[in-house]
């Protein structure tokens, strides 16, 4: 179940929605003003480095990316 970030075109509120099914995306409204004029944004994700004491690269491709 993906999380999507949206921005309301009326009040500029940004909010995150958990989409359970593809048809649920059509029912998303602004969490602040209930407007249906919303735009899905490109979101980024973060990965945390483990605290195992390893000082090697933190990406899964061993630094070759």
């Amino acid at each position: 179940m993906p999380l999507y970030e949206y921005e309301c075109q009326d009040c500029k509120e940004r909010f995150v929605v958990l989409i359970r099914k593809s048809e649920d995306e059509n029912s998303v409204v602004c969490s602040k003003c209930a407007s249906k004029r919303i735009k899905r944004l490109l979101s980024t994700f973060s990965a945390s480095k483990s605290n195992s004491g390893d000082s090697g690269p933190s990406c899964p491709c061993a630094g070759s990316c």
Side-chain angles (χ1 to χ4, degrees), residues 13-65:
E13 176 77 7
R14 285 187 170 202
F15 56 98
V16 176
V17 178
L18 174 67
I19 302 293
R20 292 189 173 94
K21 297 183 232 170
S22 61
E23 63 266 7
D24 286 346
E25 191 169 5
N26 297 327
S27 64
V28 175
V29 296
C30 175
S31 59
K32 184 177 181 182
C33 72
S35 171
K36 292 184 179 184
R37 292 189 40 194
I38 58 171
K39 178 174 78 172
R40 190 164 77 182
L41 304 173
L42 293 176
S43 297
T44 59
F45 68 93
S46 65
S48 62
K49 189 174 180 180
S50 69
N51 290 334
S52 64
D54 181 18
S55 62
S58 62
C59 69
C61 60
S64 64
C65 55

